């Protein structure tokens, strides 16, 4: 499934909040100079290390939009 930029921002933001509250980085060696939680969360996201989440989308049907 392809994520929208808004879904990606929500996932990275939620993970950055977890990291800032003390959660350890998941299976990744963080470079020594990297201390920003958002950068660490983006690194995890790019390496597909963030656990999968459920995304619910409301897709309007073509019959409803025609009324």
């Amino acid at each position: 499934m392809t994520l929208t930029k808004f879904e990606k921002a929500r996932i990275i933001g939620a993970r950055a909040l977890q990291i800032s509250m003390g959660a350890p980085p998941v299976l990744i060696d963080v470079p020594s100079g990297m201390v920003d939680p958002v950068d660490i969360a983006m690194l995890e996201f790019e390496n597909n290390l963030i656990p999968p989440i459920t995304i619910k989308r409301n897709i309007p049907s073509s019959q409803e939009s025609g009324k």
Side-chain angles (χ1 to χ4, degrees), residues 1-2 5 8-9 16 18 20 24 26 29-30 32-33 35-36 38 45-46 49-50 53-55 58-60 67:
M1 173 171 44
T2 303
K5 62 182 176 181
K8 181 180 173 182
Q18 292 173 349
S20 69
V26 180
D29 293 326
V30 179
S32 61
V35 294
D36 186 28
V38 176
F45 185 81
E46 290 167 359
L49 295 174
I50 295 179
I53 61 168
T54 302
I55 298 174
N58 293 330
I59 301 174
K67 291 183 179 180

Side-chain angles (χ1 to χ4, degrees), residues 25 28-36 39-44 47:
I28 194 166
D29 293 326
V30 179
S32 61
M34 188 178 290
V35 294
D36 186 28
D39 290 337
I40 296 171
M42 287 178 64
L43 186 62
E44 287 182 350
N47 291 319

